Amino acid sequence: MSDFAAAPFSSAAPVFSVAGSTEGRLGRDLLRLDIREGTLGLRTLVAHFSAIPPDSDGSTEQLSYLDGQVLDLGTTLTVTIGPAAGERKIFQGAVSALEVCFEEGAVPYVSVFAEDSLMRLRMTTRTATYADKSDADVVKAVATEHGLQAQTDVDGPTYGVIQQWEQSDLAFLRDRAQRINAELWVDSADVIHLAGRERRPGAELTLVQGNELIGLTARADVAHQRPAVEVRGWDHDAVRAITKTSDRSAVTAEITSGRSGVEIVSKVFAKASISRARRDVLDQATADAYADAELLRRARSFVTVNGTTAGTPDLLPGAKLDLRRVGRPFEGSGYRVVHAHHSYDLTTGYRTRFRAERPAIAV
C-alpha cells in the first residue's frame, strides 16, 4: 500500500450557470470560450458549443441550444473558472446573439455571444444636456436611467454644460472617462464604477517567467511620450484665454523608482511637446484636468507588456502586477492590467492573456 495519498483532481474548466442555476450540459459541450474586457468596460463573452450532444445518434435534425430551452436571447449567463477553492466569477451578463455554424466534415456548433450590464447603455442612443454637473454626477444620472447604481472615485471639475449628442449612453460615458483618464466598468452586483486607475481595486499578483508566465513580450517606447502637454481654451465670462501646461510632476507620484518615459524624452527630445486647443475648455479647472489626463495617459503607457499565463482568474483590468525574471528594465512591480482575455478550449485548456502598463523602466 502506498504511503502517499492520491492528490485530489482539480479542474480549471469553466462552469456555466443560466438564470442562476448551474447548467452542466454547457460545460460538457463546450468547444471554446473567450471572455474579454478593457479599461472602458463592457466585458464580452463568446462561447462555442457542440450542437450534437455525445448521447445522441449524431442526427442534425434536433440541434442543441437552438430551441430556447437552455439558452435564449436575453438569458442571464454566468461563468466561473478556476480550481477548487479558487474559483472566480469572470463573467455575468445577458445573451445578445445566437449563431449556428455548419462546415463540411465537422460537427455543427452553436455560438453564444453575451455582454455584461453595460449592454443596457450600449442599446440606448440619445441627445441630452447636463448643466452644472461633474463627470461623476453624469455617470450616476445615466446609471439611474437604466435602473443601476453607480460608485465613483474621480477628481475633476464641475462643467457648466455637458452635451451628449446622438451617442449611445455607453459611448458617452466612455468619452467622459477618457477626457479625465478614468476607467469605467460594471461589477458582479451590476454597479457601474468610474475611477482613476490608481483608485481602481484589483488583485495583487506576482508572475514569474517560466512559472506562472508562459509567454511575455515587453516594450519600452518613447514614441508617444512628451515632456509637456498644453491645453488651451477660452473663458467667455472673464473674456480671457485659458492655458494649462502639465509636466512630469503629474506622474511623479506613480513612480517609486526607475526612469520614466517623460524623464527620458525630456532629455533626448527636449523640444517635443503637445499643444491642444479645445472648444469645451471654458474654465481653468477643465484645462487642468484635461492636460493632466493627457500627460498621464501617455506616461502610463511607456512600458507595455503582453503576457500569457496558464489561467489566472484574478487577472482582470485593474490588477496590480509584479513581474519577475523578465529582464532588468522590465523587472518588478508597478504594472496595472489594462486588458484581459480569458480563453478555454479542448486543446490548450485555460489560458489568460493580458496587457499591462507602467510609467518607468527599472535601472
Side-chain angles (χ1 to χ4, degrees):
M1 182 175 180
S2 172
D3 293 331
F4 298 96
F9 174 73
S10 179
S11 173
V15 175
F16 294 85
S17 296
V18 176
S21 299
T22 300
E23 186 54 69
R25 285 175 289 179
L26 295 177
R28 178 197 65 189
D29 296 338
L30 179 67
L31 301 174
R32 182 173 176 87
L33 171 71
D34 292 280
I35 296 171
R36 293 179 170 89
E37 184 182 16
T39 56
L40 291 177
L42 192 64
R43 190 175 301 183
T44 62
L45 172 148
V46 181
H48 307 291
F49 301 98
S50 173
I52 300 180
D55 55 358
S56 74
D57 60 5
S59 170
T60 60
E61 294 298 321
Q62 294 292 329
L63 297 179
S64 299
Y65 309 121
L66 293 176
D67 57 4
Q69 297 302 306
V70 177
L71 294 169
D72 200 357
L73 296 173
T75 297
T76 299
L77 186 64
T78 302
V79 180
T80 59
I81 199 165
E87 306 96 333
R88 295 289 186 274
K89 182 188 295 185
I90 61 171
F91 182 82
Q92 179 174 292
V95 175
S96 58
L98 294 170
E99 178 180 270
V100 64
C101 181
F102 299 91
E103 295 181 0
E104 185 177 10
V107 174
Y109 63 89
V110 172
S111 298
V112 177
F113 301 80
E115 301 174 348
D116 69 17
S117 293
L118 288 179
M119 181 174 70
R120 304 186 198 179
L121 280 63
R122 185 177 64 80
M123 301 288 285
T124 301
T125 299
R126 73 178 88 210
T127 295
T129 301
Y130 299 87
D132 297 320
K133 300 290 185 183
S134 66
D135 290 303
D137 295 330
V138 169
V139 169
K140 292 174 181 176
V142 172
T144 300
E145 287 283 338
H146 294 276
L148 302 172
Q149 293 182 318
Q151 292 183 8
T152 62
D153 191 5
V154 290
D155 298 321
T158 296
Y159 309 91
V161 175
I162 298 175
Q163 184 70 53
Q164 177 181 358
W165 183 256
E166 294 184 357
Q167 289 176 291
S168 73
D169 286 347
L170 178 59
F172 175 56
L173 292 192
R174 282 175 162 176
D175 178 58
R176 299 311 309 176
Q178 286 181 306
R179 289 169 186 262
I180 57 173
N181 202 29
E183 299 187 1
L184 180 73
W185 74 98
V186 65
D187 63 22
S188 59
D190 288 342
V191 176
I192 298 176
H193 294 261
L194 179 74
R197 179 180 298 181
E198 71 283 0
R199 301 176 185 177
R200 181 173 185 170
E204 297 186 13
L205 305 171
T206 298
L207 303 178
V208 181
Q209 176 61 30
N211 191 0
E212 296 88 0
L213 280 170
I214 59 177
L216 183 99
T217 301
R219 170 185 288 192
D221 191 343
V222 299
H224 299 288
Q225 300 298 300
R226 298 293 184 271
V229 172
E230 179 190 50
V231 171
R232 294 176 286 116
W234 183 261
D235 187 330
H236 294 283
D237 294 331
V239 194
R240 64 178 180 85
I242 302 166
T243 183
K244 163 66 176 181
T245 300
S246 184
D247 55 26
R248 70 170 69 178
S249 62
V251 73
T252 300
E254 298 191 12
I255 302 172
T256 56
S257 63
R259 293 189 299 157
S260 70
V262 174
E263 175 188 349
I264 294 170
V265 81
S266 297
K267 297 176 180 178
V268 180
F269 303 102
K271 294 185 178 181
S273 64
I274 291 177
S275 181
R276 300 191 187 281
R278 299 284 299 266
R279 289 188 296 177
D280 59 339
V281 173
L282 305 176
D283 54 57
Q284 190 63 51
T286 303
D288 294 349
Y290 285 7
D292 286 349
E294 175 74 8
L295 187 130
L296 266 175
R297 180 184 65 80
R298 292 173 176 273
R300 286 169 169 169
S301 63
F302 171 46
V303 179
T304 58
V305 297
N306 290 280
T308 304
T309 74
T312 309
D314 286 328
L315 258 176
L316 298 170
K320 307 169 187 177
L321 304 184
D322 185 343
L323 303 182
R324 305 288 179 86
R325 298 180 188 170
V326 295
R328 184 169 181 79
F330 308 105
E331 194 82 5
S333 60
Y335 290 97
R336 297 299 294 263
V337 174
V338 296
H339 186 269
H341 172 198
H342 296 266
S343 67
Y344 181 89
D345 62 39
L346 302 181
T347 302
T348 59
Y350 182 25
R351 292 289 184 267
T352 303
R353 296 165 183 84
F354 67 91
R355 181 180 179 87
E357 301 176 342
R358 79 174 182 188
I361 54 174
V363 295

